[in-house]
Amino acid sequence: AVTGGQDTVGLRVPGHPVALELLRRFAAVAGPHAGIAAPSANRFGRISPTTANHVREELGERVPLILDGGPCAVGIESTIVDCTRGEPVVLRPGHISPAHLAAVFGRLPEIQTAVGAPRVSGSLAAHYSPKTPMRLVAADRLLDLLNVIVIVADVVPLSATASLRKPAASHLAHV
């Protein structure tokens, strides 16, 4: 279960001072080579939480304790680097950029996309999927869409033009 079906183990080192202090205290009690095995704070296929409240909403009673160090400074996934091949390979891009890694490794790492079975979490096309549907709207149509939303919600529209008073269903067809 720790390997996720792979022949390697992924190690995560948090940068947050509260998480680092938890690891220091754990090591002081359990020994210098001890660590904590824990999954991400989101369920498979869901976006990563950025606050303790997001974790509570997502996991609820499934977890007995949530360590709240405040909101995340960075709201994107971790960078995953494979160091088992002799040369570092980025398996999942994240906050730590190739330039940051080059400063450590002395060269830019290769960036590899998933082929076949996923080697890392988050490499499936729809892995981090919000539940809320998204709609792309051209900038010149945004006010029309917002007015339709306001009309549907039975609130005074943003604009008083007659064209925005059409029934929402027919108006949405043109937005």
Side-chain angles (χ1 to χ4, degrees):
V2 173
T3 63
Q6 304 291 333
D7 58 355
T8 57
V9 175
L11 303 176
R12 182 181 306 197
V13 180
H16 194 284
V18 173
L20 290 171
E21 184 60 25
L22 172 69
L23 292 174
R24 281 187 201 96
R25 290 183 185 200
F26 182 79
V29 172
H33 300 292
I36 297 175
S40 297
N42 59 312
R43 294 189 330 228
F44 179 81
R46 299 295 310 278
I47 59 174
S48 294
T50 56
T51 68
N53 194 50
H54 293 157
V55 176
R56 198 172 293 105
E57 289 171 0
E58 174 79 18
L59 301 179
E61 300 299 319
R62 291 180 183 91
V63 294
L65 174 71
I66 297 170
L67 184 63
D68 186 352
C72 293
V74 177
I76 62 172
E77 312 312 322
S78 306
T79 303
I80 298 179
V81 181
D82 182 348
C83 295
T84 65
R85 306 174 188 190
E87 295 290 327
V89 177
V90 174
L91 300 179
R92 182 177 76 187
H95 176 63
I96 300 174
S97 72
H100 288 115
L101 294 170
V104 173
F105 295 128
R107 63 194 165 287
L108 281 171
E110 176 186 343
I111 299 175
Q112 186 178 75
T113 57
V115 177
R119 176 97 171 112
V120 297
S121 62
S123 62
L124 296 174
H127 183 77
Y128 298 110
S129 303
K131 290 192 291 186
T132 304
M134 180 179 78
R135 183 175 192 162
L136 295 176
V137 179
D140 62 337
R141 302 297 302 178
L142 184 57
L143 184 58
D144 288 343
L145 179 62
L146 291 173
N147 276 296
V148 169
I149 292 168
V150 170
I151 291 168
V152 170
D154 198 28
V155 177
V156 177
L158 297 173
S159 172
T161 62
S163 66
L164 296 177
R165 295 187 185 275
K166 293 178 183 177
S170 65
H171 195 71
L172 274 174
H174 305 305
V175 177

